[in-house]
Amino acid sequence: MLEDLLVATSDGLLHLIHWEGMTNGRKAINLCTVPFSVDLQSSRAGSFLGFEDVHIKDMEYCATLDGFAVVFNDGRVGFITPMSSRFTAEQLRGVWAQDVVDGTCVAVNNKYRLMAFGCVSGSVQVYTIDNATGAMQLSHKLELTPKQYPDIWNKTGAVKLIKWSPDNSVVMVTWEYGGLSLWSVFGAQLICTLGGDFAYRSDGTKKEPLKISSMSWGAEGYHLWVISGFGSQNADVESDIKNTANQPGILQFQFIKSALTVNPCMSNQEQVLLQGEDRLYLNCGDASQAQNPRNSSAHSEHKSIREKSPFSDGSLDSQGLSTLLGHRHWHVVQISSTYLESNWPIRFSAIDKLGQNVAVVGKFGFAHYSLLTKKWKLFGNITQEQNMIVTGGLAWWNDFIVLACYNLNDHQEELRVYLRTSNLDNAFAHVTKVQAETLLLSVFRDMVILFRADCSICLYSIERKTDGLNTTASIQVLQEVSMSRYIPHPFLVVSVTLTSVRTETGITLKMPHQACDAESIMLNLAGQLIMMQRDRSGPQIREKDNSPNQRKLLPFCPPVVLAQSVENVWTTCRANKQKRHLLEALWLSCGGAGMKVWLPLFPRDHRKPHSFLSRRIMLPFHINIYPLAVLFEDALVLGAVNDTLLYDCLYTRGNAKEQLEVLFPFCVVERTSQIYLHHILRQLLVRNLGEQALLLAQSCAALPYFPHVLELMLHEVLEEEATSREPIPDPLLPTVAKFITEFPLFLQTVVHCARKTEYALWNYLFAAVGNPKDLFEECLMAQDLDTAASYLIILQNMEVPTVSRQHATLLFSTALEQGKWDLCRHMIRFLKAIGSGESETPPPTPTTQEPSSSGGFEFFRNRSISLSQSTETLPASKLNLQKTLSMPSGPSGKRWSKDSDSAENMYIDMMLWRHARRLLEEVRLKDLGCFAAQLGFELIGWLCKERTRAARVEDFVIALKRLHKDFLWPFPVIPIASISSPFKNGKYRIGGGEQLLKSQSADPFLNLETDIGVPGAPRSQSWLGNIGSAHQEIDTASSHGPQTQDAFLSPLLNKGDECSIGSATDLTETSSIVDGDWMMVDENFSTLSLTQSELEHISMELASKGPHKSQVQLRYLLHIFMEAGCLDWCIVIGLILREPSIINQVFGLMQSSEVDGEMLQNIKTGLHAIDRWASTDCPGYKPFLNIIKPQFQRLSDITEEQIQPEAFQPVNKTPEQAASPRAEDSRNSACHSSSPSGETGSSSTASWTEGTMAGSPEEESFQDGTYDCTVS
């Protein structure tokens, strides 16, 4: 029929005209005489059209269906086919499409046997012919949804034009009122110009859609040529826009397409490869870095590539995600211009498994490119290139390029294999002759499969041969299978693949070696996926009976249809025992219907499978992107999406007319990816296959986004069921909830899902997953405090305030115990918020009675405690004792305005006091310092109150041992021989205090390695220099006087002492030796010639020192206790530091001041206990105890009458003072006693004043109102 021209005229006649213009005597056929029926099985006398004025408005011939798709002038559509080879009225039969009455135009896709009819409603109805009955069957519709295009979906006007691309993989649709849209074969929308940047300018005004009167695809579908503009529909549109719409012009749109559209053998790769007319787009990152081959696990290789890749994005490195996801940009390869000159356009392209080499095929020959060397390799002999036309595509096999071509010289179809590393020349190629033209080619493991024009499939084995220096591949025919019985036309076969997928999974359990064999052929026949398995019913061939060369392969069973409307098929030949579900599955892309996966079902623990259970299951699922590649082990789908960028702001709209090209935004193709695992798990749960879902989920639990998968599944089911208008007979949410409890992430998943869902759905969610109070308690038991904090927010919304306060208190105390300071700060804020948002109900009082005489402590205020001591103004032995009560000024003064607020603060203070008391009782001084520094706890004021209670040292020996352990401080050892030390006369005294302190940050406890980083807020540095001067004062007390020189200690290690020093220093990260804090030496000292004994003494001194950081922290605590008057703790710290000056200072204070007799007695008994302990267990302390013995004796002689126990007790306050805010300790020296105005209260309580307090910084800190707390 191709030699004739069929013409339909408006008088209802069909004319068959020869190309020479002759009718050959054949009569015109009147449409009224052609019988039409619903299908071809009806009786011969179908109903005739019956109207005089019916004629054909549009028609197109479909070669693969052998007939005409027609649209009549009354809107009805049909299909006319000749019943025999003779084209006469008697032989023609027509079939109606019953549901279409408003047809406007038609376009036919020969490869998929589809007829697309445009309708007045704006939708496109796509029909196919039922093979059995011959009836027209609706395949799918192409229509805009109100969800995606709410303001345009029913206002597009009638469909004007439909055009299928040359490769039959996409269709372009345009409407009467303008606009273009691009769809895949089975209805996935790829582009539409009626929304987004296509429809609106950068200032938000709507553009007039571009009206198209005619369009045509260019070669290979890389271009769409368009004639635009036939007048505007709306008369009142602005003139400049009307000019644009009326202005006729020729536009050319450029496209890039997936390599799968023309070379479907690429579907077993995990890369996305897009081809344009002169360039390739790859998603495999920078291949020059990716040189290690793929191994059994995806992740080990992916991670190494990602870490080396210069493009990689650091946020994903840690998770080891695939390089295929790396970044959004493409790796663009420009095709060699030399090759394109004579071979434009590119027809096929292929990439190897590692993503390091690509090959392209143009009009003649081929060329390949290495992403490592960035070089193209072309034929050296141009005639060889021009003599071959690649017909069936090309594929990579290891280092070889396999292609099927037609040799123009010999007029012979050939299968050729070229080695990548050798020169591109036929001399190095292995050539096999083929009987018929090859239409498709694919490679599976070591086999090549060809589909030929005679509808036969041929299998070849391919192996590497090395003879001498030359490496070649040899190819041998294995098997031929004729498919002519099943395939009506060879052009209908879209893809052919060899896979290891099979239905009887039981084989793998009995004979695992057969699992790797090529088991079945997958054939996509015009969208129908057909599978042919090996026939295992007959006698089995044993492996050892025949050598691999003449291996006889099993025949294939008759084909089985697996699925309809299939565009692409993905499968892999890799194996991974951990992820068998994903790797042995078959993945299908079905256009508008989404994706499908044919999943194997495995019996658990190799138990015998149930006979009634199917071995595989087909699961459909929807994804939001168009799939181009499947990452099997990573459970991801990769794709590409068209993204737009407006640039109309560069043009002024004041022009006479807007540029036509400005109507369209700048388009870029972006990479996309999507997780699909939650869809599959959900589908399995819907089908009561929970055990399979669990096996699959456990195999993927190591994926970094697995928690997100569970969350997505829970969220989607919750949204669907909780917002459903009809009651759900069999809700899935309880099943999903039960499923998620199988994973340790259950608690996080539920709370993350809840917090991303609106409050109205929470009751439905927690009815399925459990009471949030129980889940909160589970989090506490599992020590997962951050998740517990998230549940607290849910409890706050769902429960009464008392319940949320009880749970918050529980979490707060646990966070305090674990030292999660960041969480503690949030909890304090949360508890205050509960209190302020509540009515006048007081907070529940804790069971232990707390002292409340001095009110609550203030939190998060810039109140720095000055620890300075001025040597100029105060003698060392005489210290003035006074305590000043100060009212906070600025914003903090307002906080007592509400009773409930003050009660809430009091409640928090009591919890903090209780924690501090516990830390002291357990002798955890390091934790106490950390707690005070991190939470802004006013330690000195609290210690003053607790001096005779919690702040008493109960057992000096236990306290000393505990400090040694906490601060990694070595116990002292006695030197082997008593040596005369250069340190004894004080000439080379260690200048410890000031230098050590100055090298530290403002708070020694703030730079501990805690598990939660503290936000770097500006901290008060005022005490730094002051503490230094305090140390000078302490050191002067040790009577070295003016002879003291500044000497710095340098660690001089000899081999014998390394271990003893290491024991003290290696335990902490901030080891002083490692940090090199002591690496400067006095110049006089360095010139001394030290004897062996002196060296040993220095080593001894070093060995008895703890880490540098611990020393700073201990000195800091010493000053805190000094100021609070806890002299017994000062004695313990003085003992551990082994500095007589500290002990002397404390004894001096005891003699000069009025000290509580009880404390004095406690210190005496404590020192006696330490003396006894040192004699028996730790003789290293004896020399130091002997040094301080005279002072101790003097202390014992003090009579009881000189001590007044009342001196340290607070004077009884008036009720007003008791209710007033907590006393802020303002410590001013005798000379500089001025304090900021409004801060000086009554001076009833005693406090240690150790130096000057700068007035102006104090005032600034109150006025700026920040909440950074520095306990310095």
Side-chain angles (χ1 to χ4, degrees):
M1 204 179 287
L2 291 173
E3 58 271 6
D4 293 317
L5 199 63
L6 188 70
V7 180
T9 52
S10 60
D11 53 6
L13 296 178
L14 281 175
H15 304 268
L16 201 63
I17 303 171
H18 213 58
W19 283 106
E20 290 97 23
M22 311 288 288
T23 57
N24 292 357
R26 281 181 290 195
K27 280 189 274 184
I29 299 162
N30 191 334
L31 284 173
C32 295
T33 62
V34 177
F36 272 84
S37 54
V38 178
D39 57 45
L40 295 178
Q41 286 181 325
S42 317
S43 60
R44 176 71 189 85
S47 61
F48 297 97
L49 288 174
F51 300 108
E52 294 303 315
D53 55 349
V54 170
H55 64 266
I56 290 173
K57 187 165 70 173
D58 192 12
M59 72 174 171
E60 193 171 329
Y61 177 62
C62 180
T64 50
L65 285 171
D66 192 23
F68 298 89
V70 293
V71 179
F72 295 103
N73 60 330
D74 61 357
R76 287 184 292 177
V77 300
F79 178 71
I80 299 175
T81 179
M83 298 307 283
S84 70
S85 56
R86 293 182 60 232
F87 196 83
T88 59
E90 293 76 42
Q91 295 301 324
L92 289 183
R93 285 288 304 275
V95 183
W96 287 120
Q98 288 174 291
D99 304 330
V100 184
V101 290
D102 62 343
T104 57
C105 55
V106 66
V108 166
N109 184 328
N110 278 303
K111 196 169 195 68
Y112 288 90
R113 300 172 101 177
L114 295 174
M115 298 170 282
F117 295 98
C119 302
V120 174
S121 64
S123 71
V124 176
Q125 312 261 15
V126 185
Y127 280 87
T128 183
I129 297 289
D130 186 341
N131 286 336
T133 64
M136 285 183 76
Q137 213 175 20
L138 181 68
S139 166
H140 58 279
K141 292 181 184 180
L142 312 179
E143 53 190 355
L144 302 180
T145 59
K147 189 178 174 186
Q148 287 174 297
Y149 302 95
D151 50 350
I152 194 75
W153 64 279
N154 57 358
K155 304 186 183 76
T156 55
V159 175
K160 191 170 171 78
L161 297 166
I162 304 171
K163 284 278 185 276
W164 290 96
S165 63
D167 56 18
N168 293 293
S169 58
V170 287
V171 62
M172 185 65 85
V173 177
T174 177
W175 293 276
E176 191 185 337
Y177 295 164
L180 282 166
S181 63
L182 187 71
W183 308 76
S184 76
V185 178
F186 290 107
Q189 191 193 87
L190 304 174
I191 298 172
C192 179
T193 66
L194 292 177
D197 290 345
F198 288 105
Y200 296 93
R201 293 185 187 82
S202 48
D203 59 1
T205 53
K206 204 167 187 331
K207 298 176 189 172
E208 178 79 358
L210 185 73
K211 293 179 180 55
I212 291 163
S213 55
S214 179
M215 63 180 176
S216 175
W217 286 95
E220 295 293 322
Y222 293 125
H223 301 113
L224 182 75
W225 294 87
V226 163
I227 297 177
S228 71
F230 260 14
S232 171
Q233 292 294 320
N234 308 331
D236 57 345
V237 188
E238 294 171 36
S239 60
D240 58 337
I241 305 179
K242 192 181 273 191
N243 284 337
T244 308
N246 287 332
Q247 179 72 30
I250 298 179
L251 292 179
Q252 184 202 56
F253 296 103
Q254 293 195 336
F255 290 89
I256 55 173
K257 60 181 180 181
S258 165
L260 291 171
T261 56
V262 281
N263 198 22
C265 69
M266 286 294 301
S267 66
N268 56 9
Q269 306 291 62
E270 297 195 358
Q271 287 97 358
V272 174
L273 173 64
L274 303 182
Q275 61 187 61
E277 55 172 341
D278 60 350
R279 68 196 63 190
L280 301 175
Y281 292 73
L282 293 87
N283 77 325
C284 50
D286 184 8
S288 60
Q289 309 296 329
Q291 292 186 45
N292 40 349
R294 186 136 184 46
N295 52 20
S296 61
S297 151
H299 285 288
S300 53
E301 181 239 350
H302 286 162
K303 182 157 188 178
S304 53
I305 297 176
R306 288 289 328 268
E307 282 167 353
K308 294 181 205 161
S309 166
F311 297 120
S312 69
D313 146 16
S315 64
L316 285 172
D317 274 342
S318 58
Q319 302 176 339
L321 261 191
S322 163
T323 176
L324 304 168
L325 284 179
H327 44 82
R328 292 181 71 193
H329 307 292
W330 296 95
H331 190 89
V332 181
V333 176
Q334 193 72 39
I335 292 166
S336 160
S337 54
T338 318
Y339 181 72
L340 281 175
E341 267 172 27
S342 51
N343 298 297
W344 178 94
I346 295 304
R347 294 188 298 129
F348 304 109
S349 61
I351 187 168
D352 69 348
K353 275 232 178 336
L354 299 177
Q356 294 175 8
N357 302 288
V358 285
V360 293
V361 171
K363 196 175 172 186
F364 299 105
F366 75 101
H368 61 88
Y369 174 81
S370 163
L371 280 89
L372 298 173
T373 62
K374 307 262 189 294
K375 284 182 182 167
W376 280 95
K377 200 173 266 191
L378 278 65
F379 272 95
N381 183 344
I382 191 100
T383 54
Q384 288 185 1
E385 178 184 273
Q386 298 297 308
N387 271 332
M388 67 186 279
I389 299 177
V390 176
T391 55
L394 79 166
W396 286 88
W397 177 76
N398 300 341
D399 253 4
F400 295 91
I401 299 158
V402 184
L403 49 87
C405 65
Y406 179 68
N407 185 332
L408 292 169
N409 260 2
D410 306 346
H411 306 291
Q412 173 67 49
E413 301 288 343
E414 294 174 344
L415 176 64
R416 296 188 185 181
V417 184
Y418 291 85
L419 179 64
R420 176 183 66 82
T421 48
S422 63
N423 288 342
L424 202 45
D425 193 289
N426 291 347
F428 301 108
H430 181 279
V431 181
T432 307
K433 291 184 177 174
V434 184
Q435 281 79 16
E437 183 191 347
T438 304
L439 298 181
L440 290 165
L441 168 147
S442 179
V443 171
F444 175 84
R445 293 207 180 96
D446 297 338
M447 293 171 87
V448 180
I449 178 169
L450 298 188
F451 177 73
R452 302 188 301 218
D454 59 0
C455 290
S456 64
I457 290 172
C458 194
L459 300 182
Y460 295 88
S461 70
I462 177 169
E463 58 179 315
R464 194 186 186 98
K465 282 266 172 75
T466 312
D467 35 322
L469 297 170
N470 295 336
T471 303
T472 55
S474 76
I475 281 186
Q476 287 181 322
V477 180
L478 288 177
Q479 194 173 11
E480 287 199 31
V481 186
S482 172
M483 297 289 293
S484 50
R485 287 169 56 197
Y486 312 110
I487 298 174
H489 195 291
F491 182 63
L492 295 174
V493 178
V494 179
S495 69
V496 59
T497 1
L498 208 55
T499 75
S500 53
V501 170
R502 67 216 156 274
T503 49
E504 64 278 8
T505 44
I507 291 174
T508 52
L509 308 176
K510 295 178 207 154
M511 299 175 265
H513 61 270
Q514 287 184 348
C516 303
D517 290 350
E519 289 290 338
S520 51
I521 293 171
M522 294 284 172
L523 205 73
N524 184 348
L525 178 66
Q528 262 197 346
L529 187 66
I530 293 172
M531 172 180 175
M532 294 194 309
Q533 293 193 83
R534 295 226 179 258
D535 187 359
R536 297 191 176 275
S537 55
Q540 301 294 298
I541 301 151
R542 283 198 307 212
E543 292 288 327
K544 58 175 184 279
D545 289 355
N546 50 355
S547 63
N549 292 341
Q550 61 260 4
R551 193 171 52 171
K552 188 171 185 305
L553 290 168
L554 292 171
F556 285 95
C557 300
V560 180
V561 177
L562 288 184
Q564 305 280 356
S565 307
V566 176
E567 292 180 7
N568 282 313
V569 183
W570 291 275
T571 171
T572 180
C573 55
R574 280 185 291 109
N576 181 342
K577 278 181 184 171
Q578 274 70 47
K579 295 190 178 176
R580 284 182 59 194
H581 277 96
L582 295 178
L583 282 174
E584 293 181 27
L586 191 70
W587 305 89
L588 317 175
S589 158
C590 301
M595 286 187 77
K596 289 180 182 171
V597 57
W598 201 34
L599 203 68
L601 302 177
F602 299 109
R604 202 165 194 168
D605 315 322
H606 297 307
R607 288 190 301 230
K608 196 171 184 297
H610 295 297
S611 54
F612 59 85
L613 264 187
S614 168
R615 307 289 196 275
R616 277 184 179 268
I617 189 166
M618 188 71 82
L619 303 173
F621 60 93
H622 271 276
I623 58 168
N624 302 328
I625 63 173
Y626 187 79
L628 296 176
V630 176
L631 301 187
F632 304 99
E633 281 139 316
D634 292 328
L636 281 172
V637 171
L638 303 185
V641 67
N642 191 64
D643 202 9
T644 51
L645 194 71
L646 284 170
Y647 55 94
D648 57 2
C649 50
L650 303 175
Y651 298 83
T652 54
R653 287 189 61 198
N655 295 353
K657 68 182 187 68
E658 200 170 2
Q659 298 290 323
L660 252 182
E661 58 272 21
V662 180
L663 269 174
F664 278 84
F666 182 72
C667 295
V668 283
V669 177
E670 288 283 2
R671 294 169 50 176
T672 54
S673 60
Q674 198 177 331
I675 302 168
Y676 56 74
L677 195 57
H678 58 291
H679 295 300
I680 298 175
L681 295 175
R682 181 179 169 180
Q683 292 287 348
L684 287 169
L685 292 175
V686 166
R687 289 160 174 77
N688 286 328
L689 292 168
E691 195 172 273
Q692 296 293 327
L694 198 59
L695 286 173
L696 173 57
Q698 283 165 348
S699 72
C700 297
L703 291 174
Y705 36 81
F706 184 70
H708 185 55
V709 168
L710 295 180
E711 208 178 302
L712 275 174
M713 178 166 67
L714 184 63
H715 185 79
E716 283 179 12
V717 174
L718 172 66
E719 291 268 304
E720 272 177 41
E721 294 188 358
T723 56
S724 166
R725 293 190 181 166
E726 287 82 37
I728 297 163
D730 190 15
L732 186 64
L733 191 64
T735 316
V736 170
K738 190 163 179 276
F739 177 76
I740 295 174
T741 52
E742 296 287 332
F743 298 92
L745 300 158
F746 165 67
L747 295 164
Q748 290 99 308
T749 306
V750 170
V751 79
H752 290 169
C753 175
R755 292 196 55 189
K756 290 171 191 170
T757 314
E758 54 191 285
Y759 171 68
L761 311 184
W762 283 6
N763 283 327
Y764 189 81
L765 171 66
F766 287 106
V769 296
N771 191 321
K773 287 192 278 193
D774 301 338
L775 299 176
F776 173 85
E777 281 158 23
E778 276 184 53
C779 291
L780 281 188
M781 283 163 67
Q783 304 287 308
D784 187 356
L785 302 192
D786 292 323
T787 308
S790 297
Y791 275 107
L792 206 50
I793 293 162
I794 286 163
L795 285 171
Q796 187 193 8
N797 286 296
M798 294 182 76
E799 301 283 347
V800 291
T802 28
V803 174
S804 50
R805 188 197 279 106
Q806 282 166 2
H807 287 81
T809 309
L810 206 58
L811 180 58
F812 185 32
S813 53
T814 316
L816 280 173
E817 189 50 49
Q818 292 192 10
K820 303 238 172 159
W821 308 120
D822 225 19
L823 184 57
C824 289
R825 283 191 282 273
H826 288 313
M827 292 313 303
I828 290 174
R829 222 170 39 242
F830 183 80
L831 282 164
K832 285 185 178 179
I834 292 179
S836 58
E838 216 183 314
S839 60
E840 284 73 37
T841 53
T845 45
T847 47
T848 327
Q849 189 55 45
E850 300 287 354
S852 55
S853 55
S854 64
F857 282 125
E858 189 68 9
F859 285 93
F860 296 132
R861 298 286 183 263
N862 255 336
R863 177 87 178 132
S864 83
I865 304 163
S866 168
L867 297 178
S868 56
Q869 180 174 322
S870 162
T871 13
E872 297 87 40
T873 56
L874 280 177
S877 56
K878 189 82 177 156
L879 284 158
N880 196 10
L881 283 149
Q882 92 185 62
K883 178 159 183 167
T884 331
L885 273 173
S886 56
M887 275 287 285
S889 65
S892 57
K894 299 173 190 165
R895 81 163 239 207
W896 295 91
S897 55
K898 276 192 195 168
D899 289 345
S900 68
D901 200 7
S902 66
E904 200 56 53
N905 282 298
M906 187 68 195
Y907 179 59
I908 296 166
D909 290 346
M910 283 176 172
M911 291 180 70
L912 291 170
W913 292 339
R914 190 188 309 155
H915 185 66
R917 184 176 298 123
R918 209 161 105 247
L919 291 177
L920 260 185
E921 282 166 0
E922 294 174 12
V923 200
R924 286 159 59 187
L925 284 200
K926 191 164 191 167
D927 292 349
L928 181 71
C930 216
F931 156 74
Q934 296 279 359
L935 294 187
F937 180 69
E938 297 242 355
L939 204 48
I940 295 176
W942 179 77
L943 285 171
C944 284
K945 288 191 312 174
E946 295 288 327
R947 195 162 39 213
T948 55
R949 285 172 298 194
R952 247 180 108 227
V953 183
E954 296 297 335
D955 187 326
F956 274 65
V957 177
I958 287 175
L960 195 62
K961 285 179 179 173
R962 184 69 200 238
L963 288 187
H964 273 291
K965 184 180 168 193
D966 270 7
F967 289 94
L968 305 172
W969 203 271
F971 285 100
V973 285
I974 289 186
I976 301 149
S978 183
I979 44 180
S980 94
S981 150
F983 295 94
K984 281 182 181 170
N985 56 13
K987 190 179 178 189
Y988 295 104
R989 184 182 64 79
I990 301 171
E994 191 165 358
Q995 283 76 24
L996 285 172
L997 275 155
K998 280 189 174 167
S999 67
Q1000 287 297 311
S1001 71
D1003 197 318
F1005 291 98
L1006 279 170
N1007 44 17
L1008 279 175
E1009 297 291 326
T1010 48
D1011 55 347
I1012 298 170
V1014 183
R1019 298 195 185 94
S1020 160
Q1021 303 280 338
S1022 62
W1023 65 279
L1024 253 179
N1026 298 332
I1027 281 199
S1029 57
H1031 274 289
Q1032 282 173 5
E1033 198 278 323
I1034 289 180
D1035 290 338
T1036 5
S1038 62
S1039 75
H1040 292 311
Q1043 310 100 321
T1044 305
Q1045 294 186 13
D1046 277 310
F1048 296 88
L1049 184 63
S1050 170
L1052 300 166
L1053 306 179
N1054 63 2
K1055 282 180 182 166
D1057 295 300
E1058 273 177 17
C1059 42
S1060 62
I1061 294 165
S1063 64
T1065 55
D1066 294 348
L1067 291 163
T1068 141
E1069 290 177 34
T1070 52
S1071 156
S1072 52
I1073 303 241
V1074 180
D1075 283 351
D1077 287 328
W1078 296 352
M1079 297 307 266
M1080 293 187 295
V1081 181
D1082 181 69
E1083 57 274 12
N1084 306 329
F1085 191 73
S1086 59
T1087 57
L1088 289 174
S1089 54
L1090 291 172
T1091 64
Q1092 178 65 28
S1093 59
E1094 285 163 343
L1095 277 171
E1096 279 175 15
H1097 186 89
I1098 293 166
S1099 303
M1100 224 54 184
E1101 289 283 340
L1102 265 178
S1104 63
K1105 290 279 180 199
H1108 176 51
K1109 193 179 222 175
S1110 296
Q1111 190 163 351
V1112 179
Q1113 288 170 347
L1114 281 167
R1115 290 186 183 282
Y1116 170 66
L1117 284 169
L1118 172 69
H1119 279 276
I1120 293 277
F1121 285 123
M1122 276 280 193
E1123 253 191 59
C1126 299
L1127 300 182
D1128 38 4
W1129 276 113
C1130 299
I1131 292 279
V1132 175
I1133 296 173
L1135 283 170
I1136 196 170
L1137 288 171
R1138 292 194 289 289
E1139 289 191 14
S1141 56
I1142 296 173
I1143 308 289
N1144 291 342
Q1145 189 183 7
V1146 175
F1147 285 160
L1149 284 172
M1150 288 172 170
Q1151 290 162 21
S1152 63
S1153 340
E1154 288 130 353
V1155 180
D1156 186 337
E1158 216 178 303
M1159 182 188 284
L1160 198 60
Q1161 192 56 43
N1162 190 29
I1163 290 171
K1164 277 159 63 178
T1165 50
L1167 281 171
H1168 278 304
I1170 282 178
D1171 196 42
R1172 284 197 302 278
W1173 168 75
S1175 306
T1176 57
D1177 292 356
C1178 187
Y1181 262 114
K1182 286 302 276 183
F1184 181 68
L1185 290 171
N1186 290 336
I1187 291 171
I1188 62 166
K1189 206 159 200 169
Q1191 298 276 6
F1192 181 44
Q1193 288 297 331
R1194 216 173 314 141
L1195 175 69
S1196 305
D1197 301 339
I1198 298 173
T1199 54
E1200 288 294 326
E1201 288 77 27
Q1202 288 172 301
I1203 297 159
Q1204 293 180 3
E1206 294 77 25
F1208 274 92
Q1209 300 306 318
V1211 178
N1212 288 336
K1213 293 186 184 179
T1214 59
E1216 289 81 8
Q1217 284 173 321
S1220 75
R1222 177 224 57 268
E1224 288 262 351
D1225 307 325
S1226 165
R1227 282 160 294 280
N1228 296 328
S1229 71
C1231 295
H1232 301 83
S1233 59
S1234 60
S1235 73
S1237 58
E1239 282 202 353
T1240 318
S1242 66
S1243 55
S1244 56
T1245 317
S1247 161
W1248 292 92
T1249 308
E1250 295 201 357
T1252 59
M1253 181 183 85
S1256 51
E1258 194 74 13
E1259 275 180 318
E1260 285 164 22
S1261 65
F1262 275 111
Q1263 283 152 10
D1264 64 19
T1266 59
Y1267 282 62
D1268 166 65
C1269 165
T1270 310
V1271 178
S1272 317

